[in-house]
Amino acid sequence: MAYALHEKLEVHEIATFKTNGLTKAKTMNLLVSDPALKEILLADVQLSTRQLQELEQIISNAIL
């Protein structure tokens, strides 16, 4: 599927936002001591990783 330039840029913007959130969650996970908060951060890391993989596929397909 062909994407317009603004659509490609929006996907890149979302990927950048998710990458920043993933970095923050991984960093905070090292700093917190509460087990419940660690679980929440770990779940966020796993979800964000899956979402970034999906965005990577979208970006790869958009370039072709």
Side-chain angles (χ1 to χ4, degrees):
M1 171 180 255
Y3 293 101
L5 179 59
H6 73 280
E7 293 171 322
K8 293 177 189 179
L9 292 173
E10 287 176 6
V11 173
H12 278 281
E13 186 177 342
I14 293 168
T16 301
F17 179 77
K18 291 301 296 179
T19 301
N20 288 339
L22 178 60
T23 302
K24 184 175 182 179
K26 283 184 174 183
T27 303
M28 293 302 294
N29 194 29
L30 298 173
L31 301 174
V32 299
S33 58
D34 181 35
L37 183 54
K38 278 191 174 281
E39 271 190 48
I40 293 169
L41 289 169
L42 180 59
D44 184 46
V45 166
Q46 293 170 345
L47 177 62
S48 293
T49 301
R50 283 196 313 270
Q51 290 171 337
L52 280 167
Q53 290 169 346
E54 291 175 14
L55 287 171
E56 181 182 11
Q57 289 176 349
I58 292 170
I59 291 169
S60 296
N61 292 337
I63 294 173
L64 297 177

